[in-house]
Amino acid sequence: MVTLVNFRAYWRFLVVLYQFFPLIVAYTRDRRKYIFFGGQRRVSPEMRVERAEVLLASLLTLGPTFIKLGQLLSTRPDILPPQYIDVLGTLQDDVPPAPWEESKVVLEEELGPIDEAFDSFDTNPISGASLGQVYVAEYEGEEVAVKIRRPGIEELVEADLRVVRWSLPLLMRFIGEGRAFSLENLADEFAKTIREEMDYDEEARTLEAIQQNFADNDSLVIPTPVHERSDDRVLTMEYLPGTKINNVERLDELGIDRTALATNLQRIYLQMIVDDGVFHADPHPGNLSVTDDGKIIFYDFGMHGEVDPFIQGKIVEFYIAVANQDVDAILDTLIEMGTLSPNVDRQVMGDVMELAIADARGDDIEQYRVNQILEQVESTIYEFPLRLPRNLALVLRVAGVVEGVCVTLDPDFDFISVATSYLTEEGYREESIEKIAKGVGQQAQKTAQSLFRVPPKLERVLDRADRDNLTVNVKLEDGKGVFDRLAKRLIYGIFLSFGFVSTVLVYALNPENLVAVGAAGIPTVFVALLLWRSFRAKKGIRATPQFTRQNLRERRQE
């Protein structure tokens, strides 16, 4: 079995290499314009869109594992540029179903003969995905949905996971150090995520956990698993038909208040993420339906996320900071979550945040969409060495997808207003105010203590200055090696001047002795090349990037 997986992995590696070869050549040319020589070439947004579409086509060709990988990459703006995120965001987990005879083998291996396991079974699947497909059956007089893992998917996934791991060293040659770290973590995350999604026992546990969390909420419906007809490769659950949540015409015919429906959906996800810590992580319209009386039905809990209490608290602080337009609090929260480096240029990031919020809001501060903020902030994430923890990336994606569904239901839906109301009702804003008041009190106490400590110290400093006995030690931080580069250029310049003068003197004294002229001239030319390269290198002194409102708008339009 292991040998078979290895052989399949070797073959898949060659197939993947063939599919990605055009992109590999393109990225190699980015580093060296003519591959073996020349400088780097500029990559325009249009070129990135074209490459993202090539990548999308390759992922679709390579099948289920790489479709899932593309979906995961679409949640990681810390790894890919925004153009790739937009294109991969259209990747749907919708593939032709496997033949019934193959699915039947899996079903009977787990549950025995179908006639004995179910009263009746419809062999036409109602949905097909890359890892499994769903059928309708009857069990003990009730309709049930039966989710069956795709035949042979385990071996294919294990082989592809090895291919992903083998491909990492090659991919890391084309990305920066910060994104290489994120990419390596992504490989481990992807392996864990796809194995969890193939484990239907895990999905059943998630179903029951979320169902229990909303036991007192009658505004949503979650299918109940049927454990006696379920296993790690087969999940049988209550069958709950409904109207697709983005079918607004049908919802209007049923007389359902779409604004109330959008508000309810948003509050459900806020409870999952902020209060419960376990959330449904794939809220696209295919996984959300509505009953005739306006309740929301959730399907497919294979992709789910968990948020620990620390991150939950920071998400609350982030929401409140966005609602209050407190840029410093937004940056502090991102740093505390580990998303931003503590050494980040706060001025640059602060400008980005301010412009994003100002560009997104209307006349009323509450009338802006969090999705617009996310899109513009995501466009900066690729350019800064940020790292997104796995479930924080899922939260980011879920927030965007849910807000899109809500806007489909109600074009004037106000995400921030709903979030603010929810946080206020749950007492989070009061807690935030109490923390601020406590912090102000502590700061006032420290200020009062300083009023007594500073004057004597200041008097001693002034006395030393008056006696000409004041020494000031200055320490300059040079994390980017600016002084090293300047020193090298100075040394190269001295050697170049010396070499040039020496070469001229040797030629003037003995112009026929070409060996002596060459001995003096060749090192001089070499030093001149080093000096030229020190000014041409990309790692030289750079100006701080400037972000303007027009720049942000252009990025969003692209």
Side-chain angles (χ1 to χ4, degrees), residues 27-85:
Y27 288 133
T28 303
R29 289 195 61 202
D30 290 345
R31 296 165 65 89
R32 286 286 180 268
K33 190 172 182 179
Y34 301 104
I35 298 185
F36 295 109
F37 59 89
Q40 295 184 348
R41 67 175 179 179
R42 181 180 176 274
V43 181
S44 67
E46 293 77 13
M47 291 171 64
R48 283 180 174 169
V49 171
E50 291 176 5
R51 292 179 184 179
E53 291 172 349
V54 172
L55 175 61
L56 176 63
S58 297
L59 294 173
L60 289 170
T61 302
L62 290 170
T65 311
F66 287 89
I67 291 174
K68 285 293 179 185
L69 179 60
Q71 289 177 324
L72 187 59
L73 284 170
S74 72
T75 70
R76 299 303 299 266
D78 57 329
I79 294 176
L80 292 177
Q83 294 83 5
Y84 284 74
I85 299 296

Side-chain angles (χ1 to χ4, degrees), residues 43 86 103 122 143 146 154 166 168 223-224 406 418:
V43 181
D86 292 340
S103 297
D122 186 350
E143 276 193 312
V146 184
E154 301 93 337
W166 293 343
L168 278 179
T224 302
C406 291
V418 173

Side-chain angles (χ1 to χ4, degrees), residues 155-218:
E155 294 80 7
L156 176 62
V157 167
E158 290 303 322
D160 285 344
L161 288 177
R162 294 191 181 204
V163 171
V164 170
R165 177 61 62 185
W166 293 343
S167 303
L168 278 179
L170 180 63
L171 294 175
M172 288 180 183
R173 293 179 56 85
F174 301 101
I175 59 178
E177 182 178 347
R179 278 177 281 280
F181 177 87
S182 295
L183 187 63
E184 192 168 11
N185 286 346
L186 178 78
D188 297 330
E189 168 197 336
F190 175 60
K192 181 175 182 292
T193 299
I194 197 168
R195 286 179 179 133
E196 283 182 352
E197 196 165 345
M198 287 194 302
D199 184 356
Y200 292 166
D201 283 337
E202 175 71 17
E203 183 173 348
R205 286 191 290 270
T206 303
L207 272 170
E208 292 182 315
I210 296 180
Q211 196 174 51
Q212 185 176 358
N213 291 335
F214 286 89
D216 298 329
N217 190 331
D218 61 357

Side-chain angles (χ1 to χ4, degrees), residues 2 54 88 118 212 293 297 315 327 365 367 405 414 424 428 492 500 502 515 518 543 553:
V2 175
V54 172
L88 293 183
F118 298 96
Q212 185 176 358
D293 56 354
I297 308 171
I315 291 173
V327 173
I365 184 176
Q367 299 301 316
V405 173
D414 188 349
T424 302
Y428 288 111
Y492 290 154
F500 179 75
S502 300
V515 175
R553 284 177 177 167

Side-chain angles (χ1 to χ4, degrees), residues 9 41 54 60 65 81 94 98 112 153 162 166 207 223 237 243 257 271 281 331 352 378 382 434 489 508:
R41 67 175 179 179
V54 172
L60 289 170
T65 311
D94 185 12
I153 193 66
R162 294 191 181 204
W166 293 343
L207 272 170
M237 64 198 117
T243 301
D257 185 339
Q271 178 181 329
L331 295 180
V352 172
E378 280 178 2
Y382 180 75
E434 289 176 2
R489 291 170 185 174

